[in-house]
Amino acid sequence: MLDALQSFINLGAIVVLPILIFLFGLLLGTPAKKSFTAGLTVGIGFVGLNLIVDLLSGSLGTAAQEMVKRFGLSLHTVDVGWPAASAISYGTLLGSLAIPLGVGINLILLFLGWTKTLMVDMWNFWHAAFIGSLVFAVTNNFGLGLYGMIAYQVMIYLFADIIAPMIKKFYGFPNITFPHGTSAPGFFVAIPLNWLFDHIPGFNKIQADPETIQKKFGIFGESTVIGLIIGIVIGILAGYDAAGILQLGVKTAAVMLLMPRMVSILMEGLAPISEAANSFVQKRFPGREVNIGMDSALSVGHPAVLSSSLILVPITILLAVILPGNTTLPFGDLATIPFVVCLMAAVFEGNIVRTVVGGTIYLISILYITSWVAPLVTSAAKAAKFNLAGNSQITALAEGGLWTTGLFVFAANYLPWVIISVIFISSLAGLIYENKIKK
């Protein structure tokens, strides 16, 4: 059964999600034709998103390599990116259990009314597998690794319930939430930072959301023109010739225009399923609400997210150069920065200046945690028989350096059963408070 489930997941998000959307639609009473069309539309949206992300990754990746050469970096922990991290996470018996565990926990919590999140994006259970693999790498205890995955998944469902109102308010996605291991942690970093920014005289007066920028700067405030300018600056930093600089500028401008279009296609497919899910729940459980748990790729097309993320690419490389004690060479996950800051941008209400400053502070912590955790990621990669080149350590910047990862690695090193139990019990208590007690 595990092999069959793993084979299904290996089909990739562009196949798995349409099938799941189709099946969910049928179970929720949506006509077969409408369910099939919705699933196919979601798949097409993800194909489009992947094409744009590949364009961004390819153009930024090459520019990042050139910037690394120009800065003369010689850091020994290589950021291989989230695709490699997900393959490593699912490459062991422990990791393969993340999906059935995640589905089972979700169904139990839904039945008890302790969560509003109906998880559709099963592919992203790899985040839990990643955490379980690191706990196992520290403790060499299979049961503890399994317990770590369970605690992490319960915590992520709590995060999803908490952030859903902000997603609706800022992105305009009703009944959608992001139980996404890369994005959700940033929300909880942004909240105290936003409070701090509100109390800094002068800084708290800066209005820098895309709409305000467009009004103040005219054509230079257009998202596509901002993308062009940022691409040109990155091209100059990479040492490109005039043709290369202009090509990178146009490619980043294209990303700024095309990403939101792909997101709108994806949302077109999700809308009937979201409506059907809430109608289904209202009939059987009056007064209850359900949010569809999706990949935060839905949010990365927002102009504030893309603009801030493109600015953060050279900043991340600069931080890697100047931070004492950092061993991580940013590369594979530079194009994943939009996923790291997308919920920070929501907390900052689209303020690009706040998102860049907050993102910079967050990335400092990410680089340090990544450097600390890298030996464990390398150990997990060896256990999954991942092909390692040379003697370098490997990591994934956007997962290996998040505060949630640091929390579980700390727990695994010091009183693992006690600290992971605290995480598990407090997350359950938070879910009960959010869904049963809080008005």
Side-chain angles (χ1 to χ4, degrees):
M1 287 181 66
L2 285 175
D3 288 342
L5 186 59
Q6 189 64 58
S7 298
F8 175 63
I9 294 299
N10 287 342
L11 293 172
I14 64 171
V15 175
V16 171
L17 277 173
I19 294 173
L20 291 176
I21 293 291
F22 172 65
L23 293 176
F24 273 125
L26 293 179
L27 288 172
L28 296 170
T30 308
K33 180 182 176 181
K34 194 173 183 180
S35 296
F36 181 81
T37 303
L40 185 58
T41 304
V42 167
I44 291 168
F46 260 99
V47 169
L49 273 175
N50 288 339
L51 289 172
I52 307 306
V53 170
D54 287 345
L55 171 64
L56 181 63
S57 180
S59 55
L60 275 183
T62 306
Q65 280 183 312
E66 294 303 318
M67 278 192 279
V68 165
K69 289 178 184 176
R70 295 192 78 197
F71 283 121
L73 292 181
S74 56
L75 301 168
H76 63 269
T77 300
V78 180
D79 166 28
V80 295
W82 73 265
S86 62
I88 291 166
S89 302
Y90 280 142
T92 63
L93 174 61
L94 179 65
S96 65
L97 293 172
I99 295 167
L101 270 177
V103 173
I105 292 168
N106 190 208
L107 292 176
I108 291 169
L109 292 175
L110 280 168
F111 178 77
L112 294 173
W114 291 1
T115 185
K116 297 184 184 75
T117 301
L118 173 61
M119 181 64 158
V120 172
D121 185 26
M122 293 183 188
W123 165 256
N124 275 309
F125 282 130
W126 76 263
H127 297 278
F130 183 83
I131 294 296
S133 299
L134 295 188
V135 172
F136 178 75
V138 174
T139 64
N140 202 31
N141 186 318
F142 188 89
L144 197 53
L146 207 62
Y147 188 39
M149 283 200 300
I150 293 170
Y152 178 84
Q153 288 173 331
V154 172
M155 182 181 72
I156 285 294
Y157 288 128
L158 171 62
F159 288 179
D161 285 351
I162 292 172
I163 65 182
M166 181 67 75
I167 291 168
K168 181 179 180 180
K169 176 185 175 184
F170 181 71
Y171 289 110
F173 300 159
N175 303 117
I176 297 289
T177 189
F178 304 143
H180 192 263
T182 301
S183 303
F187 178 88
F188 299 93
V189 174
I191 289 174
L193 286 177
N194 200 44
W195 179 89
L196 176 64
F197 295 159
D198 281 340
H199 291 79
I200 299 176
F203 190 83
N204 58 7
K205 302 296 183 185
I206 297 174
Q207 298 295 319
D209 58 277
E211 293 79 13
T212 302
I213 290 173
Q214 188 173 340
K215 287 178 183 177
K216 286 184 177 180
F217 296 98
I219 188 173
F220 293 101
E222 296 278 353
S223 62
T224 50
V225 179
I226 291 172
L228 175 69
I229 294 169
I230 294 172
I232 287 173
V233 171
I234 292 174
I236 293 170
L237 291 173
Y240 283 0
D241 58 19
I245 290 169
L246 293 173
Q247 287 172 6
L248 183 59
V250 173
K251 286 178 181 178
T252 51
V255 169
M256 298 291 283
L257 178 67
L258 296 174
M259 188 81 84
R261 304 284 174 90
M262 296 304 106
V263 171
S264 66
I265 292 172
L266 226 165
M267 287 305 301
E268 183 184 327
L270 281 175
I273 304 302
S274 177
E275 291 168 7
N278 277 286
S279 298
F280 181 87
V281 170
Q282 288 303 316
K283 286 179 183 176
R284 289 156 181 81
F285 306 99
R288 281 183 58 183
E289 182 184 2
V290 164
N291 298 314
I292 304 296
M294 281 296 298
D295 193 307
S296 56
L298 289 172
S299 67
V300 299
H302 193 282
V305 176
L306 282 176
S307 300
S308 304
S309 302
L310 291 172
I311 295 169
L312 284 168
V313 169
I315 290 175
T316 304
I317 295 173
L318 178 62
L319 289 173
V321 177
I322 65 175
L323 288 177
N326 171 62
T327 67
T328 302
L329 175 63
F331 176 61
D333 266 341
L334 286 172
T336 311
I337 290 175
F339 293 83
V340 176
V341 302
C342 61
L343 289 175
M344 299 183 78
V347 174
F348 298 139
E349 297 181 345
N351 189 310
I352 294 173
V353 172
R354 289 194 181 203
T355 306
V356 170
V357 174
T360 300
I361 295 169
Y362 191 24
L363 281 161
I364 291 172
S365 72
I366 286 174
L367 283 166
Y368 277 126
I369 294 173
T370 302
S371 300
W372 174 47
V373 173
L376 300 178
V377 178
T378 307
S379 175
K382 290 177 180 176
K385 297 180 173 56
F386 188 81
N387 186 26
L388 296 175
N391 297 317
S392 296
Q393 292 184 151
I394 66 166
T395 191
L397 189 72
E399 186 64 34
L402 302 177
W403 66 265
T404 45
T405 302
L407 175 64
F408 277 87
V409 171
F410 177 84
N413 279 285
Y414 307 98
L415 299 173
W417 286 105
V418 174
I419 299 177
I420 292 175
S421 292
V422 170
I423 295 169
F424 175 63
I425 294 168
S426 59
S427 297
L428 272 181
L431 282 168
I432 294 169
Y433 173 76
E434 278 290 317
N435 295 288
K436 291 292 187 180
I437 300 171
K438 183 180 176 181
K439 289 186 179 179

